[in-house]
Amino acid sequence: MLEFDNTERTNLGELGEFGLISYLTKAVEINEPSTLKGIGDDAAVLDFSNKKTLISTDLLLEGIHFDLRYVPLKHLGYKAVQVNLSDIYAMNGTASQITFSIGLSSKFPLEAVEEIYQGALIACKKYNVDLIGGDTSASVQGLVISVTSIGFADEDQIAYRSGAQEGDLLCVSGDLGAAYVGLQLLEREKNIFLENPNIQPDLEGKDYIVERQLKPEARRDIVELLAKIGIKPNAMIDVSDGLASEIIHICEASDKGCKLYEDKIPLDSMTYETAREFGIDPTVCALNGGEDYELLFTIPQADYDKIKGSMDITVIGHITQASEGCQMISKSGKVYPITAQGWNAFKD
Amino acid sequence: MLEFDNTERTNLGELGEFGLISYLTKAVEINEPSTLKGIGDDAAVLDFSNKKTLISTDLLLEGIHFDLRYVPLKHLGYKAVQVNLSDIYAMNGTASQITFSIGLSSKFPLEAVEEIYQGALIACKKYNVDLIGGDTSASVQGLVISVTSIGFADEDQIAYRSGAQEGDLLCVSGDLGAAYVGLQLLEREKNIFLENPNIQPDLEGKDYIVERQLKPEARRDIVELLAKIGIKPNAMIDVSDGLASEIIHICEASDKGCKLYEDKIPLDSMTYETAREFGIDPTVCALNGGEDYELLFTIPQADYDKIKGSMDITVIGHITQASEGCQMISKSGKVYPITAQGWNAFKD
């Protein structure tokens, strides 16, 4: 399903590593005031004089994190950046720079690398982030992407996972489970295609959930909104591994428990219907699906009035004493312990 | 030749990603005052109040950058860190933190991952650097290591590649070419072993050059020495791709030329002799070999008296006008243009 125009193919071997780097970085602009020196020296030089520096890093590996049979390269570059920026926003910070490293087969044409890079630069531009470095290498092992994101924050504005207080409202941005359902859909269409290459993928009317999987958006807008309405979350994390896993992270780091209400979990109607078509419980998609890149955070009850009008923030529960554990109250009123089924890429 | 005790094998699938991370990070200590928060949240939090922040990143891929048939895992972890710290020192800065990401097959036993990690932590401890984050993932593609190094410097102490001045002395630390010759030796012994597994590798008396390949040391001591004797290099770079390539980087970035004297290039006697045994010109090993991780820098002539007693710094030439180009004066007095033959991993 990966469509790539084969009419233009420039061999990477002809260019060499330096040639490739200089070709790719031609389009790189520096806009962020904290970037003193970007690409072109042994290290980038940044200035965060009165702020604290935030650093996060992620590895994206072909065959584990993405499947080039249905992930367009430009989307892949875009997503690799978003996934990383999300970690900076989850600290209640401002993302300002990234490094972007790629390992790729010499069989990859230059035009394909450029697609990935363009996707990354589109994300950078949209989020006011400078690309300040990286590494480019041949790989005998498929495509490897490693991104490090850098940001800043005032010390008293940083939201750690460990700050949740008893009585805090547990809030989440956007809706959950869509990226997981989108992935199921893409996998199904891939398998149909592999069995019969004459059948074109049928993603008609499923744009939202497919886009949530292929082209997630880190929630900078939520960090900005919270600052605007005068809320500093007591604890915050981004939802990358599924709601259940992230709730447990906050509760463990804060030494607290929580009550989560199933009927409050925000689900898009397309997520709900498609999950049903696949015979999967939509709540399970939200709890264990992952890759939503929404923000999960806790705020004092006194701040409730500030968020109650927001279309984009949902109160899904509250923080309790640690002794009560992490519980979900189901739609029928039953109480279940929340367990992080999570995702174990090391399992065969 | 990779020896690994197979009596203890813990399956990564049993542990899962979170289990692996918490197992590996037990031994991580935070010692650097600028680390406010290390591993355990969405991002690390650092404080470089009055300094500039330096960032550099490198990707190390199995089959391209290392061969597990002769690279011991602990050395690999150690080298992955050194290679990155070297970039921070090359800015005349202090390295203070790293992130360390690994992608590895689920077939890898826990004990093997731990070896890599231990090597990384030994390097961190030795160089006063905190390990503050990373990512751990399954890989279907062999071993992937990505390291980002973070450091700091006073703005007026940062040595860019672009600062070389006409008349500057061109200096290099340590000696060159040994890592390349060490690699040839390891490759030869590997091939003998592959042909006849009963023949044990013969590296007798070759410790220095083998160690230069397997366990390089970033030159923090040179940065400290220069500070102590009151020298701020006008330009600096680390020698990772070979002397020729790095000289050209400095000259191009500074819009200058240079004269390099072949007879001044520092070569260890074991490097010289072993290169001869292989029928390679020792000068070519220094110019194009790479992986020396020495520092190449330019200083004003007025600073000559400060370094002339140093055993560890050699003046190998001087900076000229750009119009003169980059030239090497051979032992016989002939003048050759310096070309970056370099290393092209994309060439088959």
Side-chain angles (χ1 to χ4, degrees), chain A residues 17-18 21 37-45 134, chain B residues 56-58 86-88 90-92 158-165 168 170 232-241 245-256 296-298 319:
Chain A
E17 187 182 345
F18 294 137
I21 291 170
K37 171 77 187 176
I39 293 166
D41 217 299
D42 292 285
V45 182
Chain B
S56 184
T57 193
D58 272 308
S86 183
D87 284 317
I88 301 296
M91 301 300 285
N92 206 30
I158 297 173
Y160 291 99
R161 296 177 178 181
S162 56
Q165 302 297 319
D168 272 5
L170 185 64
K232 194 233 134 174
N234 281 335
M236 187 146 69
I237 191 170
D238 72 326
V239 183
S240 53
D241 296 323
S245 169
E246 314 306 351
I247 286 179
I248 290 172
H249 278 311
I250 283 187
C251 288
E252 284 186 352
S254 303
D255 194 23
K256 295 286 178 293
L296 175 73
F297 52 97
T298 80
I319 299 296

Side-chain angles (χ1 to χ4, degrees), chain A residues 75-89:
Chain A
H75 287 61
L76 180 62
Y78 189 88
K79 181 171 175 173
V81 175
Q82 294 295 342
V83 165
N84 268 272
L85 299 183
S86 183
D87 283 317
I88 301 295
Y89 300 133

Side-chain angles (χ1 to χ4, degrees), chain B residues 1 190-201:
Chain B
M1 285 179 248
K190 178 188 78 179
N191 290 330
I192 292 173
F193 179 82
L194 290 176
E195 277 171 31
N196 185 348
N198 294 319
I199 300 179
Q200 282 303 304

Side-chain angles (χ1 to χ4, degrees), chain B residues 26-323:
Chain B
K26 265 188 311 191
V28 173
E29 291 172 13
I30 297 297
N31 296 309
E32 169 56 38
S34 60
T35 308
L36 302 187
K37 169 80 187 174
I39 293 166
D41 217 299
D42 293 285
V45 182
L46 313 177
D47 181 6
F48 298 115
S49 316
N50 304 311
K51 309 278 184 179
K52 302 308 168 204
T53 307
L54 307 171
I55 307 262
S56 184
T57 193
D58 272 308
L59 208 52
L60 284 92
L61 304 178
E62 184 178 346
I64 300 289
H65 300 98
F66 55 87
D67 185 333
L68 289 180
R69 285 172 294 190
Y70 55 76
V71 176
L73 295 171
K74 205 181 273 182
H75 288 60
L76 180 61
Y78 189 87
K79 181 171 175 173
V81 175
Q82 294 297 342
V83 166
N84 267 271
L85 298 185
S86 183
D87 284 317
I88 301 296
Y89 300 132
M91 301 300 285
N92 206 30
T94 303
S96 47
Q97 289 90 7
I98 58 157
T99 65
F100 195 85
S101 298
I102 312 186
L104 69 171
S105 158
S106 61
K107 306 287 176 290
F108 244 70
L110 174 63
E111 290 74 18
V113 193
E114 213 180 354
E115 290 269 306
I116 300 173
Y117 223 73
Q118 277 174 357
L121 288 178
I122 290 168
C124 286
K125 192 156 191 145
K126 188 164 172 189
Y127 284 72
N128 294 326
V129 162
D130 289 344
L131 193 156
I132 55 153
D135 196 3
T136 312
S137 169
S139 163
V140 291
Q141 309 136 321
L143 187 58
V144 171
I145 299 178
S146 176
V147 182
T148 297
S149 54
I150 303 131
F152 57 86
D154 286 320
E155 188 163 17
D156 61 0
Q157 289 302 309
I158 297 173
Y160 291 99
R161 296 177 178 181
S162 56
Q165 302 297 319
E166 199 183 331
D168 272 5
L169 300 174
L170 185 64
C171 307
V172 72
S173 64
D175 57 74
L176 300 172
Y180 178 77
V181 179
L183 179 65
Q184 303 315 307
L185 199 64
L186 287 163
E187 286 281 342
R188 183 186 70 188
E189 296 302 314
K190 178 188 78 179
N191 290 330
I192 292 173
F193 179 82
L194 290 176
E195 277 171 31
N196 185 348
N198 294 319
I199 300 179
Q200 282 303 304
D202 177 20
L203 302 171
E204 183 78 23
K206 299 292 190 186
D207 301 22
Y208 178 69
I209 58 175
V210 169
E211 190 156 300
R212 290 282 285 176
Q213 169 57 226
L214 295 180
K215 198 172 156 290
E217 298 286 337
R219 301 308 304 260
R220 179 181 60 169
D221 59 331
I222 296 294
V223 173
E224 289 170 350
L225 173 68
L226 291 173
K228 199 174 145 196
I229 58 180
I231 293 182
K232 194 233 134 174
N234 281 335
M236 187 146 69
I237 191 170
D238 72 326
V239 183
S240 53
D241 296 323
L243 181 63
S245 169
E246 314 306 351
I247 286 179
I248 290 172
H249 278 311
I250 283 187
C251 288
E252 284 186 352
S254 303
D255 194 23
K256 295 286 178 293
C258 77
K259 281 197 161 57
L260 165 71
Y261 296 89
E262 186 189 5
D263 61 347
K264 302 289 185 198
I265 297 174
L267 292 169
D268 177 78
S269 59
M270 195 190 297
T271 304
Y272 190 91
E273 283 157 24
T274 314
R276 286 291 183 207
E277 278 169 43
F278 276 98
I280 325 172
D281 181 342
T283 300
V284 172
C285 298
L287 286 174
N288 296 328
E291 294 204 272
D292 294 309
Y293 302 107
E294 296 296 341
L295 293 174
L296 175 73
F297 52 97
T298 80
I299 61 171
Q301 287 189 28
D303 281 335
Y304 176 66
D305 281 348
K306 298 180 188 170
I307 59 153
K308 74 177 175 201
S310 166
M311 299 290 289
D312 223 10
I313 296 174
T314 311
V315 178
I316 55 175
H318 61 268
I319 299 296
T320 64
Q321 290 182 346
S323 59

Side-chain angles (χ1 to χ4, degrees), chain A residues 168-172 247 258 296-298 314-319:
Chain A
D168 272 5
L169 300 173
L170 185 64
C171 305
V172 71
I247 286 180
C258 78
L296 175 73
F297 52 98
T298 82
T314 310
V315 178
I316 56 175
H318 61 269
I319 299 297

